[in-house]
């Protein structure tokens, strides 16, 4: 059995609809008058020129009559309703206002059909058929309107998101050196055109969860503006300091951190975001692959120097610690831990022993063993510096060390 939506219009319905066609200008004026009430939430058409709105009302009423006479079909996918929905979405008219207008238009057509039914002696059964067909058409047109409206909104969101991502990428690539672009980007991203910035770079988690969940919201609650941008290999945040201390901002972000995250030093202006971006990525590189930590480059300059010169870093570790690194793993690790503790305790064997939970003489014996293996003394400012750098290099990601 065919549904009412797919049933063709009866001759009675067609006859009444045809009689209403001549009244379309009058019906359009009625709909325009009905749209505007004392409640502004029901008639939010301020962004629509009056002529545009009148044309939309006329086309909508005409399409109802087309569907009732059989000159148009399938109201659920109607191109006129879809075009109106798309146009009003672009103009920012609320969907509720549009659906109300469609209902008002349906009521006005229904009243016109009833008036003509009285003059043509239409039978009661035919009037019931007209009512069923009429509201089936209105329901279908409203569905077509809503679908087109929401699809247009979704397209706008996607377009705005693409635009936003492009602006962020251009800022990070250095286009903010152009003052005109910098001002435009700041305005569109709601960032200050002047003042200091940080750039944050986080490595995505393997489980897909955000590394800094809720960062933008947390900062916004403190009056700190920021934008966040996801890439395949990193998530990037641009944070406006606006006279705040960078350390205080990091203090707020650290409790949120769930992965490897590096932060640039503060840069003085938007035009330096490209440099800050590069420095944030360097800070990220200094963290071990399994780290769950947010660090600033200000805390990692020795490591940064090493990761920026991986070939020299490998030569450094091989030259200074090569014989120790060639030992079996257990003995190698004991000697390296002892050397690191001794250097960390300002070359005090007693303090290193306390840290390692062993006897002072044990530390001295291990240091003597390292001296013998390396064929050089461990004492002296240059030796301390070189050995500290070599040990630091061993804690860097494997691709560097």
């Amino acid at each position: 059995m065919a549904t009412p939506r797919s049933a063709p219009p009866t001759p009675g319905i067609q006859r009444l609809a045809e009689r209403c066609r001549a009244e379309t200008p009058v019906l359009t004026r009625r709909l325009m008058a009905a749209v505007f009430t004392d409640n502004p939430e029901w008639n939010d058409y301020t962004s629509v020129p009056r002529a545009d709105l009148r044309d939309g009302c006329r086309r909508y009423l005409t399409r109802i009559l087309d569907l009732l006479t059989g000159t148009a079909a399938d109201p659920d996918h109607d191109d006129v309703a879809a075009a109106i929905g798309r146009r009003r979405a672009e103009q920012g008219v609320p969907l509720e206002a549009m659906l109300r207008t469609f209902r008002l238009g349906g009521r006005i057509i229904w009243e016109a059909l009833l008036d003509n039914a009285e003059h043509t002696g239409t039978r009661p059964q035919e009037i019931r058929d007209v009512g069923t067909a009429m509201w089936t058409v209105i329901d279908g047109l409203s569905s077509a309107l809503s679908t087109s409206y929401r699809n247009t909104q979704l397209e706008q969101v996607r377009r705005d998101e693409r635009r936003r991502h492009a602006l962020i990428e251009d800022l990070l690539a250095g286009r903010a050196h152009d003052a005109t672009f910098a001002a435009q980007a700041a305005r569109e991203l709601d960032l200050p055109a002047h003042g200091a910035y940080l750039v944050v770079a986080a490595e995505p988690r393997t489980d897909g969860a955000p590394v800094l969940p809720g960062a933008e919201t947390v900062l916004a609650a403190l009056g700190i503006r920021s934008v966040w941008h996801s890439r395949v290999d990193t998530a990037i945040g641009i944070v406006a300091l606006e006279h705040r201390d960078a350390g205080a901002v990091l203090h707020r972000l650290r409790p949120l951190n769930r992965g490897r995250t590096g932060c640039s030093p503060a840069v003085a202006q938007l035009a330096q975001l490209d440099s800050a971006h590069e420095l944030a990525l360097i800070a990220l590189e200094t963290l071990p692959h399994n780290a769950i930590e947010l660090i600033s480059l200000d805390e990692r300059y020795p490591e940064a120097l090493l990761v920026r010169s991986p070939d020299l870093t490998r030569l450094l570790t091989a030259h200074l610690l090569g014989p120790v690194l060639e030992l079996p793993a257990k003995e190698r690790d004991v000697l390296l831990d002892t050397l690191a503790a001794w250097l960390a305790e300002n070359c005090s064997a007693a303090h290193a022993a306390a840290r390692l939970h062993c006897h002072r003489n044990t530390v001295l014996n291990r240091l003597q063993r390292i001296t013998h293996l390396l064929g050089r003394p461990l004492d002296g400012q240059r030796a301390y510096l070189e050995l500290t750098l070599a040990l630091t290099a061993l804690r860097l990601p494997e691709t560097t060390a």
Side-chain angles (χ1 to χ4, degrees), residues 216 218-226 239-242 244 249 252:
E216 186 170 2
V218 169
L219 293 178
L222 301 169
I224 301 171
R225 287 183 279 179
S226 64
V239 181
L241 292 178
E242 297 187 85
R244 291 175 176 84
V249 174
R252 296 290 185 175

Side-chain angles (χ1 to χ4, degrees), residues 112-128:
L113 291 169
L114 290 179
D115 289 342
N116 281 282
E118 291 180 3
H119 294 102
T120 58
T122 304
R123 291 175 296 140
Q125 178 58 46
E126 288 182 309
I127 293 176
R128 283 195 294 271

Side-chain angles (χ1 to χ4, degrees), residues 31 96 195 199 217 219 291 335 342 391:
L31 179 54
E96 293 76 11
V199 171
T217 302
L219 293 178
L335 293 181
W342 179 67
L391 289 170

Side-chain angles (χ1 to χ4, degrees), residues 7-343:
T10 65
I13 296 172
Q14 291 176 318
R15 184 176 64 254
L16 288 176
E18 285 292 352
R19 286 180 63 91
C20 289
R21 282 190 182 279
E23 303 174 22
T24 301
V26 174
L27 299 179
T28 301
R29 287 195 293 272
R30 287 182 189 172
L31 179 54
M32 287 288 291
V35 163
F36 294 98
T37 70
D38 293 334
N39 190 335
E41 294 181 359
W42 292 353
N43 55 35
D44 191 1
Y45 286 100
T46 54
S47 61
V48 183
R50 187 57 62 94
D52 187 358
L53 180 58
R54 185 181 300 107
D55 180 66
C57 289
R58 179 190 59 76
R59 288 190 297 134
Y60 169 59
L61 296 175
T62 302
R63 183 45 55 107
I64 295 175
L65 297 174
D66 288 344
L67 289 161
L68 291 175
T69 59
T71 56
D74 194 7
D76 291 277
H77 301 91
D78 185 73
D79 57 346
V80 170
I84 293 172
R86 182 165 52 253
R87 173 74 170 163
R88 299 296 178 254
E90 292 170 348
Q91 293 170 326
V93 178
L95 178 59
E96 293 76 11
M98 286 303 309
L99 291 173
R100 174 178 175 272
T101 299
F102 270 37
R103 289 194 299 271
L104 289 173
R107 188 187 72 189
I108 287 169
I109 292 290
W110 173 239
E111 291 171 351
L113 291 169
L114 290 179
D115 289 342
N116 281 282
E118 291 180 3
H119 294 102
T120 58
T122 304
R123 291 175 296 140
Q125 178 58 46
E126 288 182 309
I127 293 176
R128 283 195 294 271
D129 292 342
V130 170
T132 300
M134 169 71 197
W135 294 110
T136 297
V137 165
I138 300 303
D139 184 50
L141 291 175
S142 297
S143 175
L145 169 85
S146 299
T147 299
S148 176
Y149 186 99
R150 293 192 175 101
N151 287 341
T152 301
Q153 282 191 319
L154 183 59
E155 291 170 6
Q156 288 175 326
V157 169
R158 289 172 176 165
R159 186 165 57 247
D160 291 345
E161 191 64 18
R162 288 194 295 270
R163 170 67 176 169
R164 181 176 179 275
H165 282 199
L167 285 173
I168 294 172
E169 286 292 344
D170 285 344
L171 284 173
L172 299 176
R175 277 198 65 191
H177 292 284
D178 178 343
T180 302
F181 173 81
Q184 176 189 352
R187 182 173 58 255
E188 293 191 34
L189 296 172
D190 189 28
L191 292 173
H194 306 285
Y197 279 89
L198 293 176
V199 171
V200 178
E203 181 182 68
R205 288 165 51 107
T206 56
D207 61 3
V211 178
L212 287 164
E216 186 170 2
T217 302
V218 169
L219 293 178
L222 301 169
I224 301 171
R225 287 183 279 179
S226 64
V227 294
W228 299 81
H229 172 57
S230 295
R231 295 167 167 167
V232 174
D233 56 348
T234 48
I236 301 294
I238 299 174
V239 181
L241 292 178
E242 297 187 85
H243 310 295
R244 291 175 176 84
D245 178 68
V249 174
L250 294 181
H251 178 72
R252 296 290 185 175
L253 291 176
R254 282 194 169 106
L256 307 176
N257 186 61
R258 302 290 184 271
R260 293 177 71 230
T261 307
C263 179
S264 72
V267 294
Q269 54 186 328
L270 204 62
Q272 295 175 302
L273 282 182
D274 54 340
S275 174
H277 172 227
E278 183 178 356
L279 296 175
L281 293 176
I282 294 172
L284 176 61
E285 287 182 57
T286 69
L287 285 169
H289 287 307
N290 60 349
I292 300 179
E293 189 177 358
L294 189 162
I295 54 91
S296 170
L297 188 67
D298 285 337
E299 305 162 335
R300 308 281 287 188
Y301 282 116
E303 291 86 350
L305 291 171
L306 293 168
V307 299
R308 293 298 284 168
S309 301
D311 292 336
L312 288 176
T313 298
R314 283 187 282 272
L315 288 172
L316 174 72
T317 55
H319 174 68
L320 293 173
L321 298 174
V324 176
L325 298 176
E326 293 172 0
L327 295 172
K330 185 175 181 179
E331 182 181 3
R332 176 198 67 206
D333 292 344
V334 166
L335 293 181
L336 291 176
D337 289 344
T338 300
L339 180 59
W342 179 67
L343 290 168

